[in-house]
Amino acid sequence: MFTLGRSSLFRYLCLFAVLPSSFCQPGMGMLFPRESSSREVKDLSGLWSFRADKSPNRKQGFEKSWYKSRLAETGPVIDMAVPASFNDMTQDPTLRDFIGWVWYEREVVLPSRWVTDEGTRVVLRVGSAHYYSVVWVNGVKVTEHNGGHLPFEAEIGSVIREDPTSPCRITIAVNNTLTLETLPPGTIQYFNDPTKYPDGFFVQNINFDFFNYAGIHRPVLLYTTPKAYVDDITVVTDFSDSTGLVNYKISVQNAAEATVKVTLMDKDRHCVASSNEPSGVLKITDVKLWWPYLMHEKPAYLYSLEVHLMAADERSTYTDVYALPVGIRTVRVTSSQFLINNKPFYFHGVNKHEDSDIRGKGFDWPLIVKDFNLMKWLGVNSFRTSHYPYAEEILQMCDRHGIVVIDECPGVGIKDIRSFGNASLAHHLDVMDELVQRDKNHPSVVMWSVANEPASEMPPAELYFKTLITHTKDMDPTRPVTYVTDSNYARDRGAPYVDVICVNSYFSWYHDPGHVEVIPIQLNTQFENWYGKYQKPIIQSEYGADTVPGLHSDPPMMFTEEYQNVVLQSYHNVFDQKRKKYVVGELIWNFADFMTVQGITRVVGNKKGVFSRQRQPKAAAFILKERYWKLANETGKIPSWLKYPCGL
Ligand code: GCB
């Protein structure tokens, strides 16, 4: 372990090599804010003031500079929970379906040291806000962000120091309008016929099947670091026989001179490797690998990479400490297998949504804990973050529990040819950069998904996906890249570039409704065609049937629990033939029922969950549970202590 008093600092600085100047790259890091001996975190979850800008052009807030004074002084405000979607919080239908700018405000009292100590950076971090955000502190704009599912930050030290006596007033304006260039895309359509529509009537058209919940969806945090600080850590792991290898790279900001000490600790807090270099390879003898849940007796082993920075500038010296959980594992793909730690891995999992009653897409610990318990009960070893990046805290849970993740960006509903243009591609590349930057160090993340069901048959899709996938692989050569297709194998233009074919199909539902007898033939044809053309491993990334809990019929009819059962079983029979060959996974659509826009095919939301929206099982949950535990027995190793899969 590595602790130093101030007195030994100078000696310490001399002991370690001074870092080369190339070591200090422009600040690009997005390390998750963690408390340490040098960092404090203040969570601003709770009640914020809220005001939707219902002016006809939705711009009154900007025209009247609502950020300049307290929001309550600009007009009526209501209490709003953060994090949460605002849509389902009130009885006001115009707020539920509101499109445009909404304004949030919170006043925070800061510890005086944060305000007075020039050697402390104070950072404001928004976990996510959907979709476009502008942020002010005490009336001064500190940042804006384009995109609804990833974090963004601003250093606010200089602003709060302007008037150390005033409280820190944070104003965040969020706009949920989607355009052809947002991810997901959408368009606004006005209806001007006064014989049919009220004045100013418009709708937002989307091509994706979930409600466009909006607001501040994830925690807003304030955190501190010393002025010179650990800005980023990149870890890539490998192993050879029983030796684990951790390739690491640390970047530091604001340090004229800096030294680092890097220590890898095991679970018992024993140091297993260390270094004084900003980048290098740590070697771990008798390594304990990170294994997925149900694949090993002791899954999800995490080491802790502890980075201790000692830095100085002309004014002062700084110490920064950051601890990153590290799981040592490899991922590789052959023409017919998905390998984790060189062993074939079969995805038996779910597709999820961040979605629940009242909260919408708001981050909620009780819901997360419940969902992980349900997933473990089901025997799930993996999920896809359909159709956007999930909260970092969820990925941390996956790291800790061994749940494997296909990490999907919000490229869903790209159906309009105008969304394949340069501006869209540029934004999509930026979002992939942000996603990889945020999630690169999670052992649970084994694959990037750059999109879901784009119109991949359109001619511009080829260059679009070639660019997107090549770029993602350049950023992270260690993970396979895919996008999820529902296109015909012969017309799909992106498949040549992916590492794994992910296919969605809904036989006997959207095609041949009511005819479950077509499933064996059509599913078999689907697999043979894709494999025949591409010789790449295939994941059935969606399949399922809408089911209203409590509806029954025998013989089975659509929307009943019996029908969902038969659809699942018919798919499973084919999976069992193909998984011995090249099918490497099956992900049910969906883990739980979720909210969608209103429409004639949705009865208060999509009902393809094996759990209801309130997380109660439908009959299909028991079929899936039996199957997943059987698969785990066949393809993995159920830990002997896990006789009754329940509590975390
Ligand atoms: C799909 C989509 C998913 C939908 C699902 C359905 O192919 O990827 O977002 O919710 O089908 O139920 O229609």
Side-chain angles (χ1 to χ4, degrees), residues 207-210 351 353 384 386-387 408 412 452-453 484-486 504-506 509-510 541-542 544-546 589-590 594 596 602 606-608:
N207 278 310
F208 54 89
D209 183 34
F210 52 91
N351 290 278
H353 262 299
R384 171 165 71 116
S386 44
H387 293 307
E408 187 156 285
V412 54
N452 178 69
E453 297 186 358
V484 173
T485 185
D486 63 345
N504 298 343
S505 56
Y506 289 91
W509 193 261
Y510 295 119
S541 38
E542 285 180 29
D546 281 88
W589 191 262
N590 189 285
F594 58 90
T596 62
R602 297 288 177 257
N606 186 309
K607 295 272 185 285
K608 294 194 186 71

Side-chain angles (χ1 to χ4, degrees), residues 37-345:
S37 53
S38 63
R39 294 175 174 229
E40 290 162 85
V41 178
K42 196 174 169 67
D43 188 339
L44 306 185
S45 299
L47 288 185
W48 289 53
S49 296
F50 176 90
R51 183 170 180 201
D53 183 346
K54 292 190 178 167
S55 60
N57 69 0
R58 303 288 196 253
K59 285 188 189 151
Q60 194 187 78
F62 286 91
E63 286 161 1
K64 300 232 160 119
S65 308
W66 287 358
Y67 50 88
K68 281 198 176 150
S69 60
R70 294 184 59 222
L71 199 54
E73 287 164 23
T74 70
V77 295
I78 60 170
D79 282 345
M80 184 53 67
V82 172
S85 302
F86 61 74
N87 309 76
D88 291 346
M89 287 286 146
T90 72
Q91 301 305 100
D92 177 358
T94 64
L95 185 59
R96 180 169 200 273
D97 293 322
F98 183 79
I99 295 167
W101 290 100
V102 296
W103 292 70
Y104 288 77
E105 182 204 74
R106 165 92 195 254
E107 275 190 4
V108 193
V109 179
L110 300 177
S112 58
R113 194 188 59 76
W114 291 20
V115 184
T116 51
D117 181 3
E118 298 269 347
T120 294
R121 287 174 69 242
V122 180
V123 183
L124 173 66
R125 179 178 179 114
V126 180
S128 78
H130 191 72
Y131 182 86
Y132 197 96
S133 308
V134 185
V135 184
W136 297 263
V137 172
N138 295 341
V140 178
K141 184 169 149 193
V142 292
T143 191
E144 55 190 290
H145 184 255
N146 183 18
H149 309 87
L150 289 162
F152 53 96
E153 293 189 340
E155 217 269 271
I156 63 165
S158 57
V159 180
I160 57 174
R161 280 171 201 135
E162 266 168 32
D163 179 6
T165 56
S166 83
C168 168
R169 180 167 45 81
I170 300 169
T171 313
I172 307 181
V174 186
N175 192 330
N176 59 352
T177 308
L178 301 178
T179 70
L180 288 165
E181 283 143 24
T182 54
L183 285 182
T187 51
I188 300 288
Q189 187 179 3
Y190 284 90
F191 292 80
N192 297 324
D193 181 347
T195 66
K196 291 188 179 163
Y197 299 101
D199 198 26
F201 183 86
F202 69 91
V203 293
Q204 174 148 273
N205 296 315
I206 52 174
N207 278 310
F208 54 89
D209 183 34
F210 52 91
F211 192 76
N212 190 33
Y213 278 113
I216 301 180
H217 281 156
R218 297 184 191 145
V220 180
L221 306 176
L222 284 170
Y223 71 94
T224 64
T225 74
K227 188 172 160 211
Y229 65 100
V230 176
D231 174 54
D232 195 19
I233 306 173
T234 306
V235 156
V236 173
T237 64
D238 200 352
F239 64 93
S240 165
D241 300 324
S242 63
T243 304
L245 304 168
V246 176
N247 282 273
Y248 70 93
K249 187 159 183 271
I250 292 154
S251 82
V252 167
Q253 280 295 308
N254 297 344
E257 286 183 8
T259 61
V260 285
K261 170 90 178 159
V262 180
T263 317
L264 194 72
M265 313 293 282
D266 69 12
K267 272 206 163 146
D268 303 320
R269 306 282 311 146
H270 294 134
C271 169
V272 293
S274 66
S275 162
N276 301 327
E277 299 296 331
S279 62
V281 183
L282 300 174
K283 294 197 171 128
I284 304 99
T285 48
D286 291 328
V287 64
K288 294 193 179 70
L289 296 178
W290 186 94
W291 288 97
Y293 175 58
L294 302 179
M295 200 175 174
H296 193 265
E297 187 76 19
K298 291 195 176 132
Y301 192 92
L302 291 177
Y303 294 88
S304 173
L305 186 83
E306 311 204 341
V307 178
H308 199 124
L309 166 74
M310 311 292 289
D313 62 15
E314 55 296 341
R315 294 247 216 96
S316 188
T317 56
Y318 308 93
T319 301
D320 191 20
V321 178
Y322 191 90
L324 177 79
V326 170
I328 300 176
R329 58 107 186 89
T330 60
V331 178
R332 212 157 52 81
V333 163
T334 71
S335 63
S336 60
Q337 288 178 314
F338 196 99
L339 304 173
I340 296 185
N341 299 335
N342 299 330
K343 297 245 165 69
F345 177 75

